[in-house]
Amino acid sequence: MTTVWSGGALAEAIEAFAPGSVESSAGSDVWLKPESISTVCEGLKIRSEFKFDLLSSLTAVDYIDHFEVVYHLTSLPMNASAVLKSRVGHGRTEASIASVVPIWRGADYQEREVWDLMGIRFDGHPNHKRIMLWEGYPGHPLRKDYVTYDQSIASTAPGAADSLKGAE
Amino acid sequence: MTGPKLIDPYGTPAGADPRGALQSITLDLDRTEGESVNKMKSTHLEPFPDPVLEVPDDLKRSVIVSSVDYLLNWARKSSVFPLQSGLACCSFEMISAAMARFDLARFGMEAMRASPRQADLLIVAGTLTWKMAVPLRRLYDQMAEPRWVISMGVCATSGGPYYQSYSVVPGVNHIMPVDVYVPGCPPRPDALLYGIMQLHDKIRRYSLNGQAAGRE
Ligand code: SF4
């Protein structure tokens, strides 16, 4: 059975090698300060008591007044898993956090996806650009304040574009 | 910090382009691609009118216009080679329509061509995104006339479940004129076969001194 690190125990273990980096913990989650994410992740990967050698997923959540970046870690040698979170972009202007690609290469595409759809910048990413939408796309569509429908495109009925223009 | 120093996975030399080695190679290509997508999105605002075949009243009931037309149309309708292209889930129904159980070969179209130069029919099977619209239009432009287009499934017809989505074209008729629409999500292979038979019916009605067949 995979051991799941509890938030409290993991927070304590992290504080032991990187003091002052934990914001809070609850359940099985640990909230880290965004500026300490590189140090903590590097420690979690290298140190013999964790050996988190696999980043199983990296994603982000929009909480309207801020974003949360979520890291799911797996340790194959220790058969353990853990969840890290970090709150960024308070006030939703520019959200950014350090990239973990130098630590886990698998973060490459996932960070690009988060940038593409959520608009969170990953500093130090070796290939920081959109992954699914095209260059020049306006905005980041999975943000909750994104206006969904592009009103300039008509529906399939010919003449529908004119009726939209009239409605403006 | 304990343990060995981690290495940059991409081997970026110190003092290199801060955006990263990969990005400096590929970003120009991405910009060009993005420009072409944005251009297509801003110019294809209205759907193309459906290429409806106008048959004069006195000929409505008869299918054979002249014996030359009959021969030509029979030859065309019996060898409509589809382009091998699938965009999403619908393409699996198209693939199974080509397999032994439904057997597209009965209609003289068993040869799915891998090149648009050898194809007569483009079956748009699946969700068309704006990013894919540019290559699809290029495939259509590369096909020799006369050429026909079947829009398969609600995604291709109107955007379907992704209607009003940020990335999906609201109907492939914004990109190219469509001859036959096949509804369904996904349409069963039988529905696609029925659509193909409707197209055959349409091809049989063209005349050499009438409307040109399969043109934009
Ligand atoms: S119409 Fe349905 S089955 Fe076909 S591509 Fe769209 S979602 Fe998939």
Side-chain angles (χ1 to χ4, degrees):
Chain A
M1 257 296 279
T2 309
T3 332
V4 181
W5 277 83
S6 82
L10 188 62
E12 226 167 83
I14 290 172
E15 280 290 323
F17 71 87
S21 56
V22 174
E23 209 171 82
S24 62
S25 66
S28 58
D29 310 337
V30 175
W31 281 268
L32 297 172
K33 293 185 180 142
E35 59 273 15
S36 58
I37 199 86
S38 296
T39 334
V40 172
C41 287
E42 207 168 328
L44 288 179
K45 180 177 181 182
I46 290 173
R47 297 178 74 92
S48 55
E49 66 268 38
F50 307 110
K51 290 194 188 145
F52 283 114
D53 51 358
L54 178 72
L55 177 75
S56 19
S57 100
L58 190 161
T59 185
V61 189
D62 186 349
Y63 282 107
I64 299 178
D65 57 338
H66 66 278
F67 297 102
E68 199 167 81
V69 187
V70 186
Y71 303 81
H72 285 95
L73 309 183
T74 305
S75 165
L76 297 177
M78 314 289 277
N79 199 7
S81 71
V83 183
L84 300 181
K85 295 182 176 181
S86 191
R87 299 192 180 101
V88 293
H90 292 277
R92 306 189 57 124
T93 39
E94 277 281 285
S96 76
I97 193 167
S99 167
V100 293
V101 177
I103 302 163
W104 297 287
R105 192 170 172 175
D108 183 341
Y109 282 10
Q110 303 186 47
E111 286 186 352
R112 277 174 65 186
E113 185 179 346
V114 171
W115 158 246
D116 193 358
L117 302 177
M118 278 293 197
I120 299 171
R121 185 167 280 286
F122 289 88
D123 302 323
H125 190 287
N127 192 16
H128 198 282
K129 61 181 185 187
R130 289 181 179 277
I131 185 166
M132 286 185 284
L133 296 168
W134 54 96
E135 273 316 308
Y137 183 88
H140 303 281
L142 287 198
R143 284 191 176 196
K144 287 194 173 163
D145 53 3
Y146 183 80
V147 182
T148 324
Y149 185 46
D150 188 347
Q151 294 287 334
S152 60
I153 310 292
S155 75
T156 35
D162 300 329
S163 63
L164 271 178
K165 267 175 225 142
E168 270 166 20
Chain B
M1 189 80 253
T2 57
K5 183 86 198 83
L6 290 160
I7 324 154
D8 178 354
Y10 296 106
T12 316
D17 190 334
R19 294 171 309 168
L22 279 178
Q23 189 163 42
S24 49
I25 302 168
T26 56
L27 196 62
D28 285 346
L29 287 174
D30 291 334
R31 289 233 171 87
T32 323
E33 186 199 26
E35 270 163 28
S36 62
V37 176
N38 274 338
K39 185 160 164 254
M40 175 153 260
K41 204 174 170 188
S42 56
T43 50
H44 288 64
L45 297 176
E46 277 279 354
F48 288 96
D50 294 336
V52 180
L53 180 58
E54 306 286 351
V55 181
D57 273 347
D58 50 332
L59 293 177
K60 274 253 163 74
R61 311 202 125 259
S62 79
V63 168
I64 306 171
V65 184
S66 77
S67 47
V68 180
D69 289 330
Y70 177 78
L71 192 67
L72 190 67
N73 290 340
W74 171 80
R76 277 181 179 164
K77 92 153 195 16
S78 308
S79 61
V80 183
F81 287 0
L83 180 67
Q84 190 171 4
S85 74
L87 296 173
C89 7
C90 269
S91 67
F92 291 92
E93 300 296 313
M94 180 181 73
I95 293 162
S96 65
M99 292 291 109
R101 185 173 179 130
F102 295 96
D103 199 11
L104 219 49
R106 289 178 289 158
F107 305 100
M109 47 200 305
E110 70 270 39
M112 288 250 181
R113 306 316 304 195
S115 158
R117 303 281 188 210
Q118 302 164 347
D120 310 293
L121 170 64
L122 177 58
I123 303 179
V124 184
T127 322
L128 182 66
T129 55
W130 282 110
K131 206 173 178 183
M132 192 62 200
V134 179
L136 197 75
R137 174 71 209 198
R138 194 177 306 140
L139 286 176
Y140 177 77
D141 287 338
Q142 284 173 343
M143 285 165 64
E145 285 169 354
R147 58 196 171 191
W148 286 279
V149 177
I150 288 183
S151 151
M152 182 184 179
V154 287
C155 279
T157 303
S158 69
Y162 311 107
Y163 183 63
Q164 301 194 339
S165 150
Y166 55 88
S167 61
V168 175
V169 181
V172 67
N173 55 2
H174 284 79
I175 309 298
M176 61 193 73
V178 176
D179 292 280
V180 175
Y181 297 89
V182 181
C185 178
R188 275 183 56 87
D190 339 27
L192 179 62
L193 294 187
Y194 183 70
I196 286 169
M197 287 190 287
Q198 293 294 308
L199 181 69
H200 286 170
D201 218 44
K202 188 175 183 180
I203 295 175
R204 279 197 304 156
R205 284 160 199 272
Y206 281 103
S207 161
L208 274 182
N209 46 25
Q211 230 169 304
R215 261 172 233 266
E216 193 177 322

